[in-house]
Amino acid sequence: MSRKRLAVLISGRGSNLQALIDAARAQDYPAEIALVVSNLANAPGLGLAEGAGIETEVIDHRAFGKGAAGKEAFEAALAAAVDARRIDYLCLAGFMRLLSAAFVGRFDGRILNIHPSLLPAFKGLNVHEAMLAAGVKVAGCTVHFVTAGMDEGPIIGQAAVAVLPNDTADALAQRILAEEHKLYPTCVKLLCEGRARLEGGRVIFETVSGAGPPLHNPRA
Ligand code: GAR
C-alpha cells in the first residue's frame, strides 16, 4: 500500500506535528509527512520538522497584505505549495489562520484539524479557561474535517479528559494535549487506511474486527 502524503500546517510549538512525525516513523503507518508549512517564520515547530528531515516552507500571511485580496493571495501560495508536493491530506496542527470557503472547497474532505475541546462546544481561543469558567466536568479534544467555519466540521474522533477539582487552565491543557498526541495520529491512520471517510457531510467508519471510531472514555 502506498503511503498517503501529508502536509502539516502549523503556527507555533508543533507538539502535534511531533506526534505525527513519531507515528509516521513506523513502517506500517499509512502516511508520511511530505511538507510542513508555517505561516510564521519563528514557529518552533519548523525546527522539529527540520530535525526530522522534512521539507518546510514558510508562507507568511502578512507578506500578502490585509483584506480579502491578501487572504486570497496567501491561500493561492498555500495551495501552490501543497499541489507542488502532490499532497493527499492537509493536517492543521495549531495553524491559527481561518481558511476561506474557497480554499476549503478546493481541498474538500482533505483538510483535518485538531482542537482542544469536545466540539461543537468551546470553539476558538482560550478554550481551557472557558471550560473551567463554565464548570464543565468533562473536557477533551476533537479531530474533524475542516469546513469554512472556525473549529467546525464532521468529527472523526474525540478523546475525553476529566476536569479535576482545583484544575488550572495549564494543567488541564497539558492533560488534553497528551490525548491530542494520541488522537491525531489515530484519526489520520483511520483516514489514510480508508477506514474513515467523509460521505454526505458525515464521517463513515468501516468497523473491522470491532474497531470503531477513536472515542476514549474519561479518566480521573
Ligand atoms: C493544540 O492544543 C491544538 O489543539 C490547538 O493549538 C494547540 C497547538 O499546539 N489548536 C487550536 O486551538 C485550533 N483552533 P501544538 O503547536 O503544540 O500542536
Side-chain angles (χ1 to χ4, degrees):
M1 180 189 65
S2 72
R3 303 175 102 199
K4 301 291 185 194
R5 294 169 61 78
L6 309 179
V8 183
L9 276 56
I10 62 169
S11 298
R13 182 175 54 182
S15 71
N16 278 291
L17 163 64
Q18 185 65 56
L20 291 169
I21 291 173
D22 292 343
R25 282 207 178 97
Q27 292 257 312
D28 62 349
Y29 197 73
E32 62 182 308
I33 303 172
L35 176 68
V36 170
V37 176
S38 175
N39 65 308
L40 297 174
N42 62 358
L46 285 169
L48 299 176
E50 282 154 16
I54 298 167
E55 190 182 359
T56 62
E57 188 165 329
V58 174
I59 305 177
D60 188 335
H61 60 282
R62 294 165 301 194
F64 297 90
K66 291 191 196 309
K71 189 179 180 78
E72 199 177 314
F74 167 66
E75 291 186 345
L78 195 54
V82 166
D83 287 344
R85 275 73 166 204
R86 295 171 290 107
I87 297 297
D88 294 298
Y89 293 108
L90 286 73
C91 298
L92 312 188
F95 181 67
M96 295 304 183
R97 305 302 302 168
L98 191 59
L99 296 168
S100 71
F103 186 93
V104 170
R106 194 179 184 289
F107 295 98
D108 190 31
R110 293 168 54 202
I111 313 179
L112 277 65
N113 182 42
I114 186 155
H115 181 75
S117 78
L118 293 174
L119 292 174
F122 300 104
K123 299 170 181 174
L125 297 173
N126 304 318
V127 293
H128 308 96
E129 289 85 348
M131 290 189 286
L132 290 178
V136 299
K137 304 301 175 234
V138 180
C141 51
T142 303
V143 173
H144 63 98
F145 284 105
V146 171
T147 53
M150 183 180 52
D151 298 323
E152 218 175 80
I155 291 172
I156 303 171
Q158 293 186 310
V161 170
V163 179
L164 303 178
N166 306 318
D167 237 344
T168 62
D170 279 352
L172 181 58
Q174 283 305 317
R175 294 204 312 288
I176 293 175
L177 196 62
E179 294 300 323
E180 293 184 42
H181 296 163
K182 291 183 260 176
L183 185 68
Y184 215 173
T186 304
C187 291
V188 168
K189 185 172 193 283
L190 281 177
L191 190 69
C192 292
E193 286 177 343
R195 288 162 57 203
R197 65 178 194 282
L198 190 59
E199 209 176 278
R202 300 197 59 174
V203 183
I204 309 295
F205 296 93
E206 302 292 335
T207 44
V208 281
S209 62
L215 172 70
H216 304 271
N217 287 323
R219 285 193 286 273

